[in-house]
Coordinates of all heavy atoms in Angstrom, one line a residue:
M1 N 0.9 -5.1 -41.7 CA -0.3 -4.9 -40.8 C 0.1 -4.9 -39.4 O 0.7 -5.8 -38.8 CB -1.3 -6.1 -41.1 CG -2.5 -6.1 -40.3 SD -3.5 -7.4 -40.8 CE -4.9 -7.2 -39.8
S2 N -0.2 -3.8 -38.7 CA 0.1 -3.6 -37.3 C -1.1 -3.9 -36.4 O -2.2 -3.5 -36.8 CB 0.7 -2.2 -37.1 OG -0.4 -1.3 -37.2
S3 N -0.8 -4.5 -35.3 CA -1.8 -4.8 -34.4 C -2.0 -3.7 -33.3 O -1.0 -3.1 -33.0 CB -1.5 -6.2 -33.7 OG -2.4 -6.4 -32.7
D4 N -3.2 -3.6 -32.9 CA -3.4 -2.6 -31.8 C -3.3 -3.2 -30.4 O -3.6 -2.6 -29.4 CB -4.7 -1.9 -32.0 CG -5.9 -2.9 -31.8 OD1 -5.7 -4.1 -32.0 OD2 -7.0 -2.4 -31.6
R5 N -2.8 -4.4 -30.4 CA -2.6 -5.2 -29.1 C -1.1 -5.3 -28.8 O -0.3 -5.5 -29.7 CB -3.3 -6.5 -29.2 CG -4.8 -6.4 -29.4 CD -5.3 -7.8 -29.4 NE -5.2 -8.4 -28.1 CZ -6.3 -8.7 -27.4 NH1 -7.5 -8.5 -27.8 NH2 -6.1 -9.3 -26.2
R6 N -0.8 -5.3 -27.6 CA 0.6 -5.5 -27.1 C 0.6 -6.7 -26.1 O -0.3 -6.8 -25.3 CB 1.2 -4.3 -26.5 CG 1.2 -3.0 -27.3 CD 2.2 -3.2 -28.5 NE 2.3 -2.0 -29.3 CZ 1.7 -1.9 -30.5 NH1 0.9 -2.9 -31.0 NH2 1.8 -0.8 -31.2
R7 N 1.6 -7.4 -26.1 CA 1.7 -8.6 -25.2 C 2.9 -8.4 -24.2 O 4.0 -7.9 -24.6 CB 1.9 -9.9 -26.0 CG 2.0 -11.1 -25.1 CD 2.0 -12.4 -25.9 NE 0.7 -12.7 -26.4 CZ -0.2 -13.4 -25.7 NH1 0.1 -13.7 -24.5 NH2 -1.4 -13.7 -26.2
L8 N 2.7 -8.7 -23.0 CA 3.7 -8.7 -22.0 C 3.7 -10.0 -21.2 O 2.7 -10.4 -20.7 CB 3.4 -7.5 -21.0 CG 4.3 -7.4 -19.8 CD1 5.8 -7.0 -20.2 CD2 3.8 -6.3 -18.8
N9 N 4.8 -10.7 -21.2 CA 4.9 -11.9 -20.5 C 5.7 -11.7 -19.2 O 6.8 -11.1 -19.2 CB 5.6 -13.0 -21.3 CG 4.7 -13.4 -22.5 OD1 3.6 -13.6 -22.4 ND2 5.4 -13.4 -23.7
L10 N 5.2 -12.2 -18.1 CA 5.9 -12.1 -16.8 C 6.3 -13.5 -16.4 O 5.6 -14.5 -16.6 CB 5.1 -11.5 -15.8 CG 4.6 -10.1 -16.0 CD1 3.6 -9.7 -14.9 CD2 5.8 -9.2 -15.9
S11 N 7.5 -13.6 -15.7 CA 7.9 -14.8 -15.1 C 8.2 -14.5 -13.6 O 9.1 -13.7 -13.3 CB 9.2 -15.3 -15.8 OG 9.6 -16.5 -15.1
L12 N 7.4 -15.0 -12.7 CA 7.5 -14.6 -11.3 C 8.2 -15.7 -10.5 O 7.9 -16.9 -10.7 CB 6.1 -14.4 -10.7 CG 5.3 -13.3 -11.4 CD1 3.9 -13.3 -10.7 CD2 6.0 -12.0 -11.3
S13 N 9.1 -15.4 -9.7 CA 9.9 -16.3 -8.9 C 9.2 -16.5 -7.5 O 9.0 -15.5 -6.8 CB 11.3 -15.8 -8.7 OG 12.0 -16.6 -7.7
M14 N 8.9 -17.7 -7.2 CA 8.3 -18.0 -5.9 C 9.3 -17.9 -4.7 O 8.9 -18.0 -3.6 CB 7.6 -19.3 -5.9 CG 6.4 -19.4 -6.9 SD 5.1 -18.2 -6.5 CE 5.4 -17.0 -7.9
Q15 N 10.5 -17.7 -5.1 CA 11.6 -17.5 -4.1 C 11.6 -16.0 -3.6 O 12.1 -15.8 -2.5 CB 13.0 -17.8 -4.7 CG 13.1 -19.3 -5.1 CD 12.9 -20.3 -4.0 OE1 13.4 -20.1 -2.9 NE2 12.1 -21.3 -4.3
S16 N 11.0 -15.1 -4.4 CA 11.0 -13.7 -4.0 C 9.7 -13.5 -3.2 O 8.6 -13.7 -3.8 CB 11.0 -12.9 -5.2 OG 10.6 -11.5 -4.9
P17 N 9.7 -13.0 -2.0 CA 8.5 -12.7 -1.2 C 7.5 -11.8 -2.0 O 6.3 -12.0 -2.0 CB 9.0 -12.2 0.1 CG 10.4 -12.6 0.2 CD 10.9 -12.7 -1.2
Q18 N 8.1 -10.7 -2.6 CA 7.2 -9.8 -3.2 C 6.6 -10.4 -4.5 O 5.4 -10.2 -4.7 CB 8.0 -8.5 -3.6 CG 7.1 -7.4 -4.2 CD 7.9 -6.1 -4.4 OE1 9.1 -6.2 -4.5 NE2 7.3 -5.0 -4.3
Q19 N 7.3 -11.1 -5.2 CA 6.7 -11.7 -6.4 C 5.8 -12.8 -6.1 O 4.7 -13.0 -6.7 CB 7.9 -12.3 -7.3 CG 8.7 -11.2 -7.9 CD 9.8 -11.7 -8.9 OE1 9.7 -12.8 -9.4 NE2 10.8 -10.9 -9.0
R20 N 6.0 -13.6 -5.0 CA 5.1 -14.6 -4.5 C 3.8 -14.0 -4.1 O 2.7 -14.4 -4.4 CB 5.8 -15.4 -3.4 CG 4.9 -16.6 -2.9 CD 5.7 -17.5 -1.9 NE 6.2 -16.7 -0.8 CZ 7.5 -16.6 -0.5 NH1 8.4 -17.1 -1.4 NH2 7.9 -15.9 0.5
E21 N 3.9 -12.8 -3.4 CA 2.6 -12.1 -3.0 C 1.9 -11.6 -4.2 O 0.7 -11.7 -4.3 CB 3.0 -10.9 -2.1 CG 1.8 -10.2 -1.5 CD 0.9 -11.0 -0.6 OE1 1.4 -12.0 0.0 OE2 -0.3 -10.7 -0.6
A22 N 2.6 -11.1 -5.2 CA 2.0 -10.6 -6.4 C 1.2 -11.8 -7.1 O 0.1 -11.6 -7.6 CB 3.0 -10.0 -7.4
W23 N 1.8 -12.9 -7.1 CA 1.2 -14.1 -7.7 C -0.1 -14.5 -7.0 O -1.1 -14.8 -7.7 CB 2.2 -15.3 -7.7 CG 1.6 -16.6 -8.3 CD1 1.4 -17.7 -7.6 CD2 1.1 -16.8 -9.6 NE1 0.8 -18.7 -8.4 CE2 0.7 -18.1 -9.7 CE3 1.0 -16.0 -10.7 CZ2 0.1 -18.7 -10.8 CZ3 0.5 -16.5 -11.9 CH2 0.0 -17.9 -11.9
K24 N -0.1 -14.4 -5.7 CA -1.3 -14.7 -4.9 C -2.4 -13.7 -5.3 O -3.6 -14.1 -5.5 CB -1.1 -14.6 -3.4 CG -0.2 -15.7 -2.9 CD 0.0 -15.6 -1.4 CE 1.0 -16.6 -0.9 NZ 1.3 -16.4 0.5
V25 N -2.1 -12.4 -5.5 CA -3.0 -11.4 -5.8 C -3.6 -11.6 -7.2 O -4.8 -11.6 -7.5 CB -2.4 -10.0 -5.7 CG1 -3.3 -8.9 -6.3 CG2 -2.1 -9.6 -4.3
L26 N -2.7 -11.9 -8.2 CA -3.1 -12.2 -9.5 C -4.0 -13.4 -9.7 O -4.9 -13.4 -10.4 CB -1.8 -12.3 -10.4 CG -1.0 -11.0 -10.6 CD1 0.3 -11.3 -11.3 CD2 -1.9 -10.0 -11.4
R27 N -3.6 -14.5 -8.9 CA -4.4 -15.7 -9.0 C -5.8 -15.5 -8.5 O -6.8 -16.1 -8.9 CB -3.8 -16.8 -8.2 CG -2.6 -17.4 -9.0 CD -2.0 -18.6 -8.3 NE -3.0 -19.4 -7.6 CZ -2.8 -20.1 -6.4 NH1 -1.6 -20.0 -5.9 NH2 -3.7 -20.8 -5.8
A28 N -6.0 -14.5 -7.5 CA -7.3 -14.3 -7.0 C -8.2 -13.5 -7.9 O -9.4 -13.5 -7.7 CB -7.2 -13.5 -5.7
I29 N -7.7 -12.9 -9.0 CA -8.4 -12.2 -9.9 C -9.0 -13.1 -10.9 O -8.3 -14.0 -11.5 CB -7.6 -11.1 -10.7 CG1 -7.0 -10.1 -9.7 CG2 -8.4 -10.4 -11.7 CD1 -5.9 -9.3 -10.3
P30 N -10.3 -13.1 -11.2 CA -11.0 -14.0 -12.1 C -10.4 -13.9 -13.5 O -10.0 -12.8 -14.0 CB -12.4 -13.6 -12.1 CG -12.6 -12.8 -10.9 CD -11.3 -12.2 -10.6
L31 N -10.3 -15.1 -14.2 CA -9.8 -15.1 -15.6 C -10.7 -14.2 -16.4 O -11.9 -14.1 -16.2 CB -9.9 -16.5 -16.1 CG -8.9 -17.5 -15.6 CD1 -9.2 -18.9 -16.1 CD2 -7.5 -17.1 -15.9
G32 N -10.1 -13.5 -17.3 CA -10.8 -12.5 -18.2 C -10.8 -11.1 -17.6 O -11.2 -10.2 -18.3
Q33 N -10.5 -11.0 -16.3 CA -10.4 -9.7 -15.7 C -9.0 -9.3 -15.3 O -8.8 -8.1 -14.8 CB -11.3 -9.7 -14.4 CG -12.8 -9.9 -14.7 CD -13.6 -10.0 -13.5 OE1 -13.2 -9.5 -12.4 NE2 -14.8 -10.6 -13.5
R34 N -8.1 -10.1 -15.5 CA -6.7 -9.9 -15.0 C -6.0 -8.7 -15.7 O -5.4 -7.9 -15.1 CB -5.9 -11.2 -15.1 CG -6.3 -12.2 -14.1 CD -5.5 -13.5 -14.2 NE -6.0 -14.4 -13.2 CZ -5.6 -15.7 -13.1 NH1 -4.8 -16.1 -14.0 NH2 -6.1 -16.5 -12.2
T35 N -6.2 -8.6 -17.0 CA -5.5 -7.6 -17.8 C -6.0 -6.2 -17.3 O -5.2 -5.3 -17.0 CB -5.8 -7.7 -19.3 OG1 -5.3 -9.0 -19.7 CG2 -5.2 -6.6 -20.1
D36 N -7.3 -6.0 -17.2 CA -7.9 -4.8 -16.7 C -7.4 -4.5 -15.2 O -7.0 -3.4 -14.9 CB -9.4 -4.7 -16.7 CG -9.9 -4.6 -18.2 OD1 -9.1 -4.1 -19.0 OD2 -11.1 -5.0 -18.4
A37 N -7.4 -5.5 -14.4 CA -7.0 -5.3 -13.0 C -5.5 -4.9 -12.9 O -5.2 -4.0 -12.2 CB -7.2 -6.6 -12.2
V38 N -4.7 -5.6 -13.7 CA -3.2 -5.3 -13.7 C -3.0 -3.8 -14.2 O -2.2 -3.1 -13.6 CB -2.4 -6.3 -14.5 CG1 -1.0 -5.8 -14.7 CG2 -2.4 -7.6 -13.8
C39 N -3.7 -3.5 -15.2 CA -3.6 -2.1 -15.8 C -4.0 -1.1 -14.7 O -3.4 0.0 -14.5 CB -4.5 -1.9 -17.0 SG -3.8 -2.8 -18.4
R40 N -5.1 -1.3 -14.0 CA -5.6 -0.4 -12.9 C -4.5 -0.3 -11.8 O -4.2 0.8 -11.3 CB -6.9 -0.9 -12.3 CG -8.1 -0.5 -13.1 CD -9.4 -0.7 -12.3 NE -9.5 -2.1 -11.8 CZ -10.0 -3.2 -12.4 NH1 -10.4 -3.1 -13.7 NH2 -10.1 -4.3 -11.8
M41 N -4.0 -1.4 -11.4 CA -2.9 -1.4 -10.4 C -1.7 -0.6 -10.8 O -1.2 0.1 -10.0 CB -2.6 -2.9 -10.0 CG -3.6 -3.6 -9.2 SD -3.0 -5.3 -8.8 CE -4.1 -6.3 -9.6
V42 N -1.3 -0.8 -12.0 CA -0.1 -0.1 -12.5 C -0.3 1.4 -12.5 O 0.5 2.2 -12.1 CB 0.4 -0.7 -13.9 CG1 1.5 0.2 -14.5 CG2 0.9 -2.1 -13.7
C43 N -1.5 1.7 -13.1 CA -1.8 3.2 -13.2 C -2.0 3.8 -11.8 O -1.5 4.9 -11.6 CB -3.1 3.3 -14.1 SG -2.8 3.0 -15.8
R44 N -2.6 3.1 -10.9 CA -2.8 3.6 -9.6 C -1.5 3.8 -8.8 O -1.3 4.8 -8.2 CB -3.7 2.6 -8.8 CG -4.2 3.2 -7.4 CD -5.2 2.4 -6.7 NE -6.3 2.1 -7.6 CZ -6.9 0.9 -7.7 NH1 -6.4 -0.2 -7.1 NH2 -7.9 0.7 -8.5
A45 N -0.6 2.8 -9.0 CA 0.7 2.9 -8.4 C 1.5 4.1 -8.9 O 2.1 4.9 -8.2 CB 1.5 1.6 -8.6
Q46 N 1.4 4.3 -10.2 CA 2.0 5.5 -10.8 C 1.4 6.8 -10.3 O 2.2 7.8 -10.0 CB 1.9 5.4 -12.4 CG 2.6 6.5 -13.1 CD 4.1 6.4 -12.9 OE1 4.7 5.4 -12.8 NE2 4.8 7.6 -13.0
E47 N 0.1 6.9 -10.2 CA -0.6 8.1 -9.7 C -0.2 8.4 -8.3 O 0.1 9.5 -7.9 CB -2.1 7.9 -9.8 CG -2.6 8.0 -11.2 CD -4.1 7.5 -11.3 OE1 -4.7 7.1 -10.2 OE2 -4.6 7.5 -12.4
Q48 N -0.1 7.3 -7.4 CA 0.3 7.5 -6.0 C 1.7 8.0 -5.9 O 2.0 8.8 -5.1 CB 0.1 6.1 -5.3 CG -1.3 5.8 -5.0 CD -1.5 4.4 -4.4 OE1 -0.6 3.6 -4.3 NE2 -2.7 4.2 -3.9
E49 N 2.6 7.4 -6.7 CA 4.0 7.9 -6.7 C 4.1 9.3 -7.1 O 4.9 10.1 -6.5 CB 4.8 7.0 -7.6 CG 6.3 7.2 -7.5 CD 6.9 6.8 -6.1 OE1 6.4 5.9 -5.5 OE2 7.8 7.5 -5.6
A50 N 3.4 9.7 -8.1 CA 3.4 11.1 -8.6 C 2.8 12.0 -7.5 O 3.4 13.1 -7.2 CB 2.6 11.3 -9.9
L51 N 1.7 11.6 -6.8 CA 1.2 12.4 -5.7 C 2.1 12.5 -4.6 O 2.3 13.6 -4.0 CB -0.1 11.8 -5.3 CG -0.8 12.4 -4.1 CD1 -1.2 13.9 -4.4 CD2 -2.1 11.7 -3.7
L52 N 2.8 11.4 -4.2 CA 3.8 11.4 -3.2 C 4.9 12.4 -3.5 O 5.4 13.1 -2.6 CB 4.3 10.0 -2.9 CG 5.3 9.8 -1.8 CD1 4.6 10.3 -0.5 CD2 5.7 8.4 -1.7
D53 N 5.4 12.4 -4.7 CA 6.4 13.4 -5.1 C 6.0 14.8 -5.0 O 6.7 15.7 -4.5 CB 6.8 13.1 -6.6 CG 7.6 11.9 -6.8 OD1 8.2 11.3 -5.8 OD2 7.8 11.4 -7.9
V54 N 4.7 15.1 -5.3 CA 4.2 16.5 -5.2 C 4.1 16.9 -3.7 O 4.5 18.0 -3.3 CB 2.8 16.6 -5.9 CG1 2.1 17.9 -5.5 CG2 2.9 16.4 -7.4
V55 N 3.6 15.9 -2.9 CA 3.5 16.2 -1.4 C 4.9 16.4 -0.8 O 5.1 17.4 -0.1 CB 2.8 15.1 -0.7 CG1 2.9 15.2 0.8 CG2 1.3 15.0 -1.1
R56 N 5.9 15.6 -1.2 CA 7.3 15.8 -0.7 C 7.8 17.1 -1.1 O 8.4 17.8 -0.3 CB 8.2 14.7 -1.2 CG 8.0 13.4 -0.6 CD 8.9 12.3 -1.1 NE 8.8 11.1 -0.5 CZ 8.9 9.9 -1.1 NH1 9.1 9.9 -2.4 NH2 8.7 8.8 -0.5
K57 N 7.6 17.5 -2.3 CA 8.1 18.8 -2.8 C 7.5 20.0 -2.1 O 8.1 20.9 -1.6 CB 7.8 18.9 -4.3 CG 8.3 20.2 -4.9 CD 8.0 20.3 -6.4 CE 8.5 21.7 -6.9 NZ 8.1 21.9 -8.3
A58 N 6.1 19.9 -1.8 CA 5.4 20.9 -1.1 C 5.9 21.0 0.3 O 6.1 22.1 0.8 CB 3.9 20.7 -1.2
V59 N 6.1 19.9 1.0 CA 6.6 19.9 2.4 C 8.0 20.5 2.4 O 8.3 21.3 3.3 CB 6.6 18.5 3.0 CG1 7.3 18.4 4.3 CG2 5.1 18.0 3.1
R60 N 8.9 20.1 1.5 CA 10.2 20.7 1.5 C 10.2 22.2 1.3 O 10.9 22.9 1.9 CB 11.1 20.0 0.3 CG 11.6 18.7 0.7 CD 12.6 18.2 -0.4 NE 12.6 16.8 -0.3 CZ 12.2 15.9 -1.2 NH1 11.6 16.4 -2.3 NH2 12.3 14.6 -1.0
E61 N 9.3 22.7 0.4 CA 9.2 24.1 0.1 C 8.7 24.8 1.4 O 9.3 25.9 1.7 CB 8.3 24.4 -1.1 CG 8.9 24.0 -2.4 CD 7.9 24.2 -3.6 OE1 6.7 24.6 -3.3 OE2 8.3 23.8 -4.7
E62 N 7.7 24.3 2.0 CA 7.2 24.9 3.2 C 8.2 24.9 4.3 O 8.4 25.9 5.1 CB 5.9 24.3 3.7 CG 4.7 24.5 2.7 CD 4.4 26.0 2.5 OE1 4.4 26.8 3.5 OE2 4.3 26.4 1.4
L63 N 8.9 23.8 4.5 CA 9.9 23.7 5.6 C 11.1 24.7 5.3 O 11.7 25.2 6.2 CB 10.4 22.3 5.8 CG 9.5 21.3 6.4 CD1 10.1 19.9 6.4 CD2 9.1 21.8 7.8
G64 N 11.4 24.9 4.0 CA 12.4 25.8 3.6 C 12.2 27.2 4.0 O 13.1 28.0 4.1
K65 N 10.9 27.6 4.2 CA 10.5 28.9 4.6 C 10.8 29.2 6.1 O 10.8 30.4 6.5 CB 9.0 29.2 4.3 CG 8.7 29.1 2.8 CD 7.2 29.3 2.6 CE 6.8 29.2 1.2 NZ 5.4 29.3 1.0
F66 N 11.0 28.2 6.9 CA 11.2 28.4 8.3 C 12.6 28.1 8.7 O 13.2 27.2 8.2 CB 10.3 27.5 9.1 CG 8.8 27.7 8.9 CD1 8.1 27.0 8.0 CD2 8.2 28.7 9.6 CE1 6.7 27.2 7.7 CE2 6.9 29.0 9.4 CZ 6.1 28.3 8.5
H67 N 13.1 29.0 9.6 CA 14.4 28.7 10.2 C 14.2 28.1 11.5 O 13.6 28.7 12.4 CB 15.2 30.1 10.3 CG 16.5 29.9 11.0 ND1 17.5 29.2 10.4 CD2 16.9 30.2 12.2 CE1 18.6 29.2 11.3 NE2 18.2 29.8 12.4
I68 N 14.6 26.9 11.6 CA 14.3 26.1 12.8 C 15.6 26.2 13.7 O 16.7 25.8 13.2 CB 14.0 24.7 12.6 CG1 12.7 24.6 11.7 CG2 13.9 23.9 13.9 CD1 12.4 23.2 11.3
E69 N 15.5 26.7 14.9 CA 16.6 26.9 15.8 C 16.4 26.0 16.9 O 15.4 26.0 17.6 CB 16.7 28.4 16.2 CG 17.9 28.7 17.1 CD 17.9 30.1 17.4 OE1 17.7 31.0 16.6 OE2 18.1 30.4 18.6
Q70 N 17.4 25.2 17.1 CA 17.3 24.3 18.3 C 18.0 24.9 19.5 O 19.2 25.3 19.4 CB 18.0 22.9 17.9 CG 17.8 21.9 19.0 CD 18.4 20.6 18.6 OE1 18.9 20.4 17.5 NE2 18.4 19.6 19.5
R71 N 17.3 25.0 20.5 CA 17.9 25.6 21.7 C 17.9 24.5 22.8 O 16.9 23.8 23.0 CB 17.0 26.7 22.2 CG 17.0 27.9 21.3 CD 16.2 29.0 21.9 NE 16.1 30.1 20.9 CZ 15.5 31.2 21.1 NH1 14.8 31.4 22.2 NH2 15.4 32.1 20.2
T72 N 19.0 24.4 23.4 CA 19.1 23.5 24.5 C 19.1 24.3 25.8 O 19.8 25.2 26.0 CB 20.4 22.6 24.5 OG1 21.5 23.5 24.4 CG2 20.4 21.7 23.2
K73 N 18.2 23.9 26.7 CA 18.1 24.5 28.0 C 19.2 24.0 28.9 O 19.3 22.8 29.1 CB 16.7 24.2 28.6 CG 16.3 25.1 29.7 CD 14.9 24.8 30.1 CE 14.4 25.8 31.1 NZ 13.0 25.5 31.5
E74 N 20.0 24.9 29.4 CA 21.1 24.5 30.3 C 20.5 24.3 31.6 O 19.8 25.2 32.2 CB 22.2 25.6 30.3 CG 22.9 25.7 29.0 CD 24.1 26.6 29.1 OE1 24.6 26.8 30.3 OE2 24.5 27.1 28.1
I75 N 20.8 23.1 32.1 CA 20.3 22.8 33.5 C 21.5 22.9 34.4 O 22.6 22.3 34.2 CB 19.8 21.4 33.5 CG1 18.6 21.2 32.6 CG2 19.4 21.0 34.9 CD1 18.1 19.8 32.4
E76 N 21.3 23.8 35.4 CA 22.4 23.9 36.4 C 22.5 22.7 37.3 O 21.5 22.4 38.0 CB 22.2 25.2 37.2 CG 22.3 26.5 36.4 CD 22.2 27.7 37.3 OE1 22.4 27.6 38.5 OE2 21.8 28.8 36.7
R77 N 23.6 22.1 37.2 CA 23.8 20.9 38.0 C 25.0 21.2 38.9 O 25.9 21.8 38.6 CB 24.1 19.7 37.1 CG 23.0 19.3 36.3 CD 23.2 18.0 35.6 NE 22.0 17.7 34.8 CZ 22.0 16.9 33.8 NH1 23.1 16.3 33.4 NH2 20.8 16.6 33.2
P78 N 24.8 20.7 40.1 CA 26.0 20.9 41.1 C 27.2 20.3 40.6 O 27.2 19.2 40.0 CB 25.5 20.3 42.4 CG 24.1 19.7 42.1 CD 23.8 19.9 40.7
Q79 N 28.3 20.9 40.8 CA 29.6 20.4 40.4 C 30.0 19.3 41.5 O 29.4 19.3 42.6 CB 30.7 21.5 40.4 CG 30.4 22.5 39.3 CD 30.5 22.0 37.9 OE1 31.4 21.1 37.7 NE2 29.6 22.4 37.1
A80 N 31.0 18.5 41.2 CA 31.4 17.5 42.1 C 31.8 18.2 43.5 O 32.5 19.2 43.5 CB 32.6 16.8 41.6
G81 N 31.2 17.7 44.5 CA 31.5 18.2 45.9 C 30.5 19.2 46.3 O 30.4 19.5 47.5
E82 N 29.7 19.8 45.4 CA 28.6 20.7 45.7 C 27.3 19.9 45.9 O 27.1 18.9 45.3 CB 28.4 21.8 44.6 CG 29.6 22.7 44.4 CD 29.4 23.7 43.3 OE1 28.2 23.7 42.8 OE2 30.3 24.4 42.9
V83 N 26.4 20.5 46.7 CA 25.1 19.9 47.0 C 24.0 20.9 46.7 O 24.1 22.0 47.1 CB 25.0 19.3 48.4 CG1 23.7 18.7 48.7 CG2 26.1 18.3 48.7
D84 N 23.0 20.5 46.0 CA 21.9 21.3 45.7 C 21.2 21.7 47.0 O 21.0 21.0 47.9 CB 20.9 20.5 44.8 CG 19.8 21.4 44.2 OD1 19.1 22.1 45.0 OD2 19.6 21.3 43.0
E85 N 20.7 23.0 47.0 CA 20.1 23.6 48.2 C 18.8 22.8 48.6 O 18.6 22.6 49.8 CB 19.7 25.0 48.0 CG 20.9 26.0 47.9 CD 21.7 26.0 49.2 OE1 21.1 26.0 50.3 OE2 22.9 26.1 49.2
S86 N 18.0 22.3 47.7 CA 16.8 21.6 48.0 C 17.2 20.3 48.6 O 16.5 19.8 49.5 CB 16.0 21.4 46.7 OG 16.7 20.6 45.8
I87 N 18.3 19.7 48.2 CA 18.7 18.4 48.8 C 19.1 18.7 50.3 O 18.8 17.9 51.2 CB 19.8 17.7 48.0 CG1 19.2 17.3 46.7 CG2 20.4 16.5 48.7 CD1 20.3 16.8 45.7
L88 N 19.9 19.7 50.5 CA 20.3 20.1 51.8 C 19.1 20.3 52.7 O 19.1 19.9 53.9 CB 21.2 21.3 51.8 CG 22.7 21.1 51.3 CD1 23.4 22.4 51.3 CD2 23.4 20.1 52.2
G89 N 18.1 21.0 52.2 CA 16.9 21.3 53.0 C 16.2 20.0 53.4 O 15.8 19.8 54.5
F90 N 16.1 19.1 52.5 CA 15.5 17.8 52.7 C 16.2 17.0 53.8 O 15.7 16.5 54.7 CB 15.4 17.0 51.4 CG 14.9 15.7 51.5 CD1 13.5 15.4 51.8 CD2 15.7 14.6 51.4 CE1 13.0 14.2 51.9 CE2 15.2 13.3 51.6 CZ 13.9 13.1 51.8
L91 N 17.6 17.0 53.6 CA 18.4 16.3 54.6 C 18.3 16.9 56.0 O 18.2 16.2 57.0 CB 19.8 16.2 54.1 CG 20.1 15.4 52.9 CD1 21.5 15.5 52.4 CD2 19.8 13.9 53.1
C92 N 18.3 18.2 56.1 CA 18.1 18.9 57.4 C 16.8 18.5 58.0 O 16.7 18.3 59.2 CB 18.3 20.4 57.2 SG 20.0 20.9 56.9
A93 N 15.7 18.5 57.2 CA 14.4 18.2 57.7 C 14.4 16.8 58.2 O 13.8 16.5 59.3 CB 13.3 18.4 56.6
L94 N 15.1 15.9 57.6 CA 15.1 14.5 58.0 C 15.9 14.4 59.4 O 15.4 13.7 60.3 CB 15.8 13.6 57.0 CG 15.0 13.2 55.8 CD1 15.9 12.4 54.8 CD2 13.8 12.4 56.2
Q95 N 16.9 15.1 59.5 CA 17.7 15.1 60.7 C 17.0 15.7 61.8 O 17.0 15.2 62.9 CB 19.0 15.9 60.5 CG 20.1 15.1 59.7 CD 21.4 15.9 59.5 OE1 21.4 17.1 59.6 NE2 22.4 15.2 59.2
E96 N 16.2 16.8 61.6 CA 15.5 17.4 62.7 C 14.4 16.5 63.1 O 14.1 16.4 64.3 CB 14.8 18.7 62.2 CG 15.9 19.8 62.0 CD 15.3 21.1 61.3 OE1 14.1 21.1 61.1 OE2 16.1 22.0 61.0
G97 N 13.8 15.7 62.2 CA 12.8 14.7 62.6 C 13.3 13.6 63.4 O 12.7 13.1 64.4
D98 N 14.6 13.2 63.2 CA 15.2 12.2 64.0 C 15.6 12.7 65.4 O 15.5 12.0 66.3 CB 16.5 11.7 63.3 CG 16.3 10.8 62.1 OD1 15.1 10.4 61.9 OD2 17.2 10.7 61.2
D99 N 15.9 14.0 65.5 CA 16.3 14.5 66.8 C 15.1 14.7 67.7 O 15.2 14.5 68.9 CB 16.9 15.9 66.6 CG 18.3 15.8 66.0 OD1 18.9 14.7 66.0 OD2 18.8 16.8 65.5
A100 N 13.9 14.9 67.1 CA 12.7 15.1 67.9 C 12.2 13.8 68.4 O 11.5 13.8 69.4 CB 11.6 15.7 67.0
A101 N 12.6 12.7 67.9 CA 12.1 11.4 68.3 C 12.7 10.9 69.5 O 13.5 11.1 70.2 CB 12.2 10.3 67.2

């Protein structure tokens, strides 16, 4: 005679933060409702994981269609001993202001 019921026993360690949190969640579920609640949680987690896999695959496929080219804009910087023209103009303006005083 086969039963249509299955039993699953869990042993949770209060040393494990994740298992301790799971225990708090399970204790908050009223007696008589825990089996259905656990089944919903397991199925929902599985559905979310499957959805996440589909989204990741779609994003990879879409990104694969584009060639992303990274361009670095070269900024002309004065070499050692050279001075930028705008800095020279600023310094000249400061000197002229000092001479007028």
Side-chain angles (χ1 to χ4, degrees):
M1 181 175 177
S2 69
S3 173
D4 64 341
R5 298 181 69 113
R6 302 291 182 259
R7 178 173 285 276
L8 174 67
N9 293 314
L10 294 174
S11 176
L12 303 175
S13 170
M14 296 301 105
Q15 300 301 315
S16 165
Q18 187 173 24
Q19 291 182 26
R20 188 173 50 249
E21 183 63 27
W23 177 243
K24 288 178 187 176
V25 170
L26 291 169
R27 282 187 35 215
I29 301 168
L31 290 174
Q33 297 178 20
R34 290 179 180 170
T35 298
D36 287 336
V38 169
C39 290
R40 279 192 308 274
M41 287 184 240
V42 169
C43 290
R44 190 174 306 134
Q46 184 66 30
E47 290 167 0
Q48 288 175 345
E49 190 64 34
L51 178 60
L52 186 56
D53 288 343
V54 169
V55 170
R56 284 181 180 142
K57 182 180 177 188
V59 169
R60 281 189 201 111
E61 287 175 2
E62 290 303 314
L63 287 176
K65 294 177 183 178
F66 296 98
H67 175 70
I68 299 173
E69 185 177 314
Q70 184 177 359
R71 294 182 186 176
T72 55
K73 193 175 190 179
E74 291 187 25
I75 301 172
E76 292 184 23
R77 294 188 177 157
Q79 297 296 321
E82 295 179 6
V83 179
D84 190 308
E85 290 295 322
S86 62
I87 293 174
L88 284 177
F90 174 73
L91 291 174
C92 288
L94 282 177
Q95 285 179 338
E96 290 172 3
D98 287 344
D99 291 342

